[in-house]
Amino acid sequence: MKKIFFASQILLAINLFILIVPPAVFLIAFKLFPSINPTENGFGAYPLLFIVCGIAGLFVTIPFSAIMIILYLLYKYKFSKNRQ
């Protein structure tokens, strides 16, 4: 149970990373190097791709993560009361 809980939290963290870090790196690169084409026909499509993929992944991982938090808390407190 604990392994599944940690796996769901790691998947959520990976999706948040995909949503935040790569688009920020591209936007910083666009500011530092104005010669790069930041339009949607050039490299500007990549930050949009990362944002779309991150949001799509969050649609799956947020409910899974919330369910696992609830189940893990129930599992932890249910068995800790039964042991005493």
Side-chain angles (χ1 to χ4, degrees), residues 25-74:
V25 170
F26 274 106
L27 293 177
I28 290 170
F30 293 153
K31 295 288 184 186
L32 293 176
F33 305 106
S35 62
I36 297 176
N37 185 8
T39 62
E40 289 186 16
N41 294 332
F43 283 111
Y46 290 112
L48 186 61
L49 174 72
F50 284 116
I51 291 171
V52 168
C53 289
I55 291 173
L58 288 176
F59 277 121
V60 174
T61 56
I62 286 177
F64 180 60
S65 179
I67 290 169
M68 286 311 301
I69 288 171
I70 293 169
L71 288 177
Y72 182 69
L73 289 174
L74 288 173

Side-chain angles (χ1 to χ4, degrees), residues 4-27:
I4 296 172
F5 171 72
F6 284 125
S8 70
Q9 300 307 311
I10 289 171
L11 288 174
L12 181 64
I14 289 170
N15 278 324
L16 287 174
F17 179 84
I18 290 170
L19 184 64
I20 296 170
V21 175
V25 170
F26 274 106
L27 293 177

